[in-house]
Every structure is written in structure tokens, then in C-alpha cells.
Amino acid sequence: MPWRVTEHSPSSSTPAAVPTGRGLDPLKEDTRAAWAYRTYLRTPGAEPLNPEVGARVLAAVDPDDHIEIVAEAAVEFHSQDCVVAAKLTREGTAPFIAVRTMRRWILAERAIGAVVVFTGPGRPGLMASSTKSWPNVGCALACTADDGREVSFKVFSENEDVDQLVRLITNGAANEIMLLPEHPEVPALPELDGAATSKAATAQRLLPSDWRTSEEIATAHMRALGFSDAELTGGNRDGGLDVVSRAGVAQVKMQAMPVGSPLVRQLRGARPHTAHHLFYSTSGYTTAACEAAKEAGVSLFTIRPDGTISPVGDAATELADAGVHDPDVVQAANVRQIVGKYVQDVVDRIGAAIAATDLEAPGRTGRYSGHHDRAVRYLIMAWKKIEGAPREFTGPSTSKALRSAAIYYHHTELMAHVWFREMGVSYPGGDGRQQPDPDTLDSFYN
């Protein structure tokens, strides 16, 4: 049946630029579509959409909207009969792609690139009654296109679980989506790559009045040497270790007699594969301890009564002069501080936005029946993610792990913002844009 292209004007501002050119797949690269489209491409028998057709689909998506579903479909024009649509099969029909955004359905015909837009809900209808086996299982829907045409179509399930498809169409993708478009109201991820801590930092001047203060002096000294993620083990001793970091461990002794060789050898054996072993003593070392340290590769340091620290032996002197240069270690403490503050800011912003907004106020029903319910699931899921995630960033942590934590919370804030965005409610935020990169939560926000 011949049909014409429906021109569509998004309800908000001018659509974002769509990448074009040989080798580029706009649906795969645009943050509004990438997650849903890549999910579709992993389904059995899925074929990529022609880039030009993909660009036309994106032109029908508002710049601040996003796609939740991309699926194969069959279409019956000039009909709103779900029973008829339920009997459609993949075979013998023109290949269509059905796209579900937060605000509309979009049908695209692969061969000629024609696009039909349905602004509004589109309710799931019957499961295909002609067969109950894949590949023809799906949901039938009846809609009126923006150009006034009555259309019924069937969205095919990727497997025999049609209930899963019904839930996705009805409830949205809040439970599983891994990429959402950036928005000026949501601050960008913090910059972590340049967050280095210089080894030239000086240790805080404390007096070794008790064992606890002595350990704090040793921790500060290690951080100044470049072990920026150095942390006290606290009351729970870790194999006799008092200070631990990714690249170094230390034991601290405050006793009347000089430290002997058994304790030095014990330190080396506690974490034999760690790069650096440091010993701190307020009473010095025996000659045998110095010989054992030289053999075992332990760096000895003396904490003087005024809180200053002196190296004992060549290994400690070299370490004091050169410090450590592991980029992950150098960055970790500063990154942890940045991420910790960012996480708290995200939690505070989401909490403040919810507290300042009457979610059930008149007018918060959305653009169509059911729109509010689909959007509020994002807000609920965001709060669940906050409640279920660690809020503390203590102990040795790599920069990679801390960046993953920042991505987790940034994605969570974008999820919370979906409800505010879809309901037209202002959200306290900032400014920032990110670029996607498949195919994990971290890489999407890389």
C-alpha cells in the first residue's frame, strides 16, 4: 500500500544534530537512542537500520526525550482492530521498526525510510493468537497517527515472554536502562582525570603522644610520599598492619625498646606481594632489625619526639627522596574526595527537588494517560538506587572504581530528572554534556 512520509515537528526545541556520513550509525551514537537500539541489535535476527532512516527516526524524537524500545513490527493501515493486528506475522509484511519514546510511538519502514508518528500512549493489545511461538509472539496496538490516520500494528517480542514486552511498553524501561540524554539542569560528571595529589604535600605536624597519634603521623607521612590512598586500619588489625594503601603497607610501633628484627620480617611477610613495606618506630631499631630490613626490602623510619620523621637506611632514604609514582595511587585520595562530595551533592539535589515538589499536584498527569506513571518509575528507581548503593568512600580505592561510583550516581540523577523533565517541573542543576561509548554503564558515560 503506498503511503507518504509524515513530517513531524517535535514539541520542544529544534532536534539535536544527527550524525551523518558513511560508517556512522546515528541511532547507535545518539544518547537518546543508543541504549535501546543496541539492546535491539542483540536480539535474534536483528538487522541494523539504514543510517538515513535512523536519522529520520531521530528527527521525530525531541532533544530531551529518549527511546525505550526498538523492535521489529508489522503494520495494518486504515485499521484500529487489535484482533487483526494480533494475527500479523513477520513473514509476508513490509519490514517495519517500532520505536517507543517517553512521549510517542514512531514507525519506520526500512526500505523507503517513511516515518509515521503517534504522540501519546498506544496501549498494548492482544498477544498474537495465530501462533504462540517465537518469532511471531508480540503485542498488538491501535493508535491514531499525528496525521489523522488510523493504524494498528504489532510489536514483536524478542522471545516467547510476551508479558515482559507488555511490561516494558506499559511501565517503561526505568528498571533497566543504562543511558539517558544529558540535560542542562543535571550537572555533568566531575572531572577526575587531572585530580592528582602531589607527593610534595607535607605531613601534618603532630606530636607522638600516644600510639594512635603515632599512627596518624605515619599515615600523613605516607600520603606525603605519594601513597595518597593510605588509610589507618582502625581497631581491626589487618595482619598486624596499621596503615594500608594500594601500593604500600606500614606497621607503627610506640615502645620503650628499639624494634627488633622479628617484627621487621613479620611486616614483609604480611603482604609479600605489595610493592612497598614501611616500618615506623618511636624508639629506633636494633642493628639486627636494620640488617633484616635491608634483606627483606623494608623501609625503616623513626618518628622523633617533635613529630618529624627520619629515614633509616638506604631504602628509606631513597623512598623519602623519590616518593612513589603510581598514577592510580597518586590520584586516588583526591579522586575519592571529589567523588565523595559529588555523591553527596547528587543525593542532596534529588532530595531537595523531591521535597520542594508536590508530585501529586493537579496538572502532574503528563502529556497523555499513563505518562505520569511511566515517568515516576524513573524517580522511584533512582531513589532505590541511592538507598541501595554505598555512600562512603573510605579505604584503598582505585581511580577506576571511584569513577564507576561517580557514573552510578550521575546516571541515578539523570533517572530522577526524567520525571521532572517529562512533567515540565524545574530541577536544581548545572550544565554539562557527555558522549556515549558502548556497552556498560561505565562505558556509556565514558
Side-chain angles (χ1 to χ4, degrees), residues 358-399:
D358 184 354
L359 303 184
E360 303 299 329
R364 302 274 196 263
T365 57
R367 301 166 187 262
Y368 55 82
S369 176
H371 185 212
H372 172 277
D373 295 339
R374 292 175 66 235
V376 80
R377 291 178 187 274
Y378 282 83
L379 189 61
I380 294 171
M381 180 55 62
W383 200 252
K384 287 182 178 179
K385 288 170 72 71
I386 287 175
E387 291 180 335
R391 300 267 288 281
E392 297 296 328
F393 297 92
T394 58
S397 301
T398 65
S399 296

Side-chain angles (χ1 to χ4, degrees), residues 145-199:
D146 289 2
D147 63 6
R149 280 183 292 173
E150 293 183 348
V151 181
S152 57
F153 59 95
K154 181 177 176 181
V155 180
F156 294 107
S157 174
E158 64 182 80
N159 51 47
E160 295 187 7
D161 186 5
V162 74
D163 291 337
Q164 180 181 359
L165 178 61
V166 170
R167 288 192 297 269
L168 184 59
I169 293 174
T170 305
N171 300 332
N175 290 357
E176 53 193 294
I177 194 167
M178 287 197 298
L179 181 65
L180 290 165
E182 299 290 332
H183 195 282
E185 289 184 342
V186 177
L189 277 164
E191 177 59 51
L192 302 179
D193 293 339
T197 301
S198 172
K199 75 178 184 64

Side-chain angles (χ1 to χ4, degrees), residues 236-306:
N236 299 320
R237 290 293 187 267
D238 186 357
L241 302 175
D242 299 305
V243 188
V244 295
S245 78
R246 179 178 178 274
V249 295
Q251 189 171 8
V252 184
K253 287 297 180 182
M254 186 178 187
Q255 58 187 35
M257 301 296 292
V259 171
S261 59
L263 288 176
V264 173
R265 296 186 188 280
Q266 179 183 329
L267 170 62
R268 186 66 178 83
R271 290 273 185 93
H273 300 297
T274 300
H276 299 276
H277 297 77
L278 296 79
F279 208 114
Y280 293 86
S281 169
T282 60
S283 56
Y285 303 89
T286 65
T287 301
C290 292
E291 290 297 325
K294 185 176 181 179
E295 294 175 3
V298 176
S299 299
L300 305 179
F301 294 91
T302 299
I303 303 176
R304 299 188 179 279
D306 62 356

Side-chain angles (χ1 to χ4, degrees), residues 15-40:
V18 177
T20 58
R22 181 174 299 178
L24 293 177
D25 190 336
L27 290 175
K28 208 171 185 179
E29 304 303 324
D30 195 291
T31 56
R32 297 169 294 167
W35 176 82
Y37 184 60
R38 290 170 181 172
T39 300
Y40 156 74

Side-chain angles (χ1 to χ4, degrees), residues 59-297:
V61 181
D62 294 341
D64 59 345
D65 193 5
H66 67 273
I67 295 174
E68 293 187 310
I69 303 170
V70 178
E72 299 284 348
V75 178
E76 184 75 23
F77 286 99
H78 305 296
S79 169
Q80 285 199 325
D81 190 336
C82 283
V83 175
V84 172
K87 296 179 180 179
L88 294 174
T89 66
R90 295 179 194 249
E91 298 178 359
T93 61
F96 286 83
I97 290 291
V99 173
R100 181 71 168 104
T101 79
M102 285 295 294
R103 302 171 188 173
R104 56 183 59 92
W105 277 99
I106 303 166
L107 293 177
E109 202 280 319
R110 285 182 177 276
I112 62 175
V115 172
V116 180
V117 177
F118 309 83
T119 299
R123 293 301 187 180
L126 304 174
M127 185 174 72
S129 58
S130 58
T131 175
K132 294 183 181 295
S133 62
W134 193 88
N136 295 317
V137 173
C139 290
L141 300 96
C143 304
T144 300
D146 289 2
D147 63 6
R149 280 183 292 173
E150 293 183 348
V151 181
S152 57
F153 59 95
K154 181 177 176 181
V155 180
F156 294 107
S157 174
E158 64 182 80
N159 51 47
E160 295 187 7
D161 186 5
V162 74
D163 291 337
Q164 180 181 359
L165 178 61
V166 170
R167 288 192 297 269
L168 184 59
I169 293 174
T170 305
N171 300 332
N175 290 357
E176 53 193 294
I177 194 167
M178 287 197 298
L179 181 65
L180 290 165
E182 299 290 332
H183 195 282
E185 289 184 342
V186 177
L189 277 164
E191 177 59 51
L192 302 179
D193 293 339
T197 301
S198 172
K199 75 178 184 64
T202 57
Q204 181 181 3
R205 181 61 62 86
L206 297 173
L207 298 179
S209 55
D210 53 32
W211 65 268
R212 181 67 178 180
T213 307
S214 298
E215 290 180 354
E216 291 175 353
I217 292 172
T219 303
H221 183 256
M222 285 185 65
R223 290 174 180 170
L225 291 178
F227 300 94
S228 301
D229 58 341
E231 296 286 348
L232 288 170
T233 60
N236 299 320
R237 290 293 187 267
D238 186 357
L241 302 175
D242 299 305
V243 188
V244 295
S245 78
R246 179 178 178 274
V249 295
Q251 189 171 8
V252 184
K253 287 297 180 182
M254 186 178 187
Q255 58 187 35
M257 301 296 292
V259 171
S261 59
L263 288 176
V264 173
R265 296 186 188 280
Q266 179 183 329
L267 170 62
R268 186 66 178 83
R271 290 273 185 93
H273 300 297
T274 300
H276 299 276
H277 297 77
L278 296 79
F279 208 114
Y280 293 86
S281 169
T282 60
S283 56
Y285 303 89
T286 65
T287 301
C290 292
E291 290 297 325
K294 185 176 181 179
E295 294 175 3

Side-chain angles (χ1 to χ4, degrees), residues 363-367 371-372 375 418-425:
R364 302 274 196 263
T365 57
R367 301 166 187 262
H371 185 212
H372 172 277
V418 167
W419 182 89
F420 293 86
R421 181 193 80 191
E422 293 301 302
M423 298 300 111
V425 179

